[in-house]
Amino acid sequence: CSSDLAEVAAKIASKRDPALEKEVADWVKAKTGEDITPIEEKLNDGVILLKLANAIKPGSVKIGKAKMPFHKMENINRFIQFAESQGVKNQDLFMTVDLYEGKNIVKVIDSLLMLKKIT
């Protein structure tokens, strides 16, 4: 069973596109001044994502402290709600665990690209 999980994780990781990740990183840096590489570490607490949300629509989200795991997940969830409010379709949004646990960074990148196109 655990070998199946490792296989799935490897398959998802193999779909990562460095060019798309760079496009997202450049966009976030232009909007927030923040370097987000490596993505799974820098975005993990949701703070930079919320800064991005406020850069797109000033004052739209409250940035919570990100000391405890549940704070980090709340921040990420706030960003997902923001992205949805801006018109990113539910099926195009990543889930909190995709980012927080690093389960599907490809989906995180895709969601951010959708937000970039819309805003």
Side-chain angles (χ1 to χ4, degrees):
C1 183
S2 65
S3 65
D4 291 343
L5 289 175
E7 212 172 280
V8 168
K11 192 172 188 178
I12 288 172
S14 73
K15 292 181 180 182
R16 289 180 71 165
D17 183 333
L20 291 178
E21 290 188 22
K22 182 179 181 338
E23 180 182 342
V24 166
D26 290 348
W27 176 61
V28 172
K29 186 160 187 142
K31 288 282 195 186
T32 66
E34 300 278 354
D35 178 14
I36 63 163
T37 53
I39 289 169
E40 51 274 33
E41 282 179 30
K42 295 288 182 87
L43 297 183
N44 177 272
D45 64 6
V47 171
I48 293 173
L49 291 174
L50 294 177
K51 287 181 181 179
L52 176 63
N54 283 329
I56 292 168
K57 187 176 178 188
S60 58
V61 292
K62 177 180 167 262
I63 301 175
K65 289 184 179 148
K67 295 191 185 324
M68 303 294 287
F70 70 92
H71 291 136
K72 295 175 183 182
M73 288 185 270
E74 281 177 357
N75 283 344
I76 294 168
N77 196 46
R78 264 192 221 113
F79 175 78
I80 292 169
Q81 290 171 342
F82 168 81
E84 194 170 28
S85 77
Q86 296 304 296
V88 179
K89 293 184 176 76
N90 198 23
Q91 68 266 22
D92 294 326
L93 286 168
F94 65 93
M95 294 189 308
T96 303
V97 295
D98 292 336
L99 175 57
Y100 183 73
E101 296 178 8
K103 290 192 182 285
N104 193 348
I105 299 302
V106 172
K107 186 71 173 177
V108 175
I109 295 300
D110 289 347
S111 298
L112 290 168
L113 287 170
M114 289 301 295
L115 181 63
K116 179 183 179 213
K117 286 177 189 167
I118 290 170
T119 56

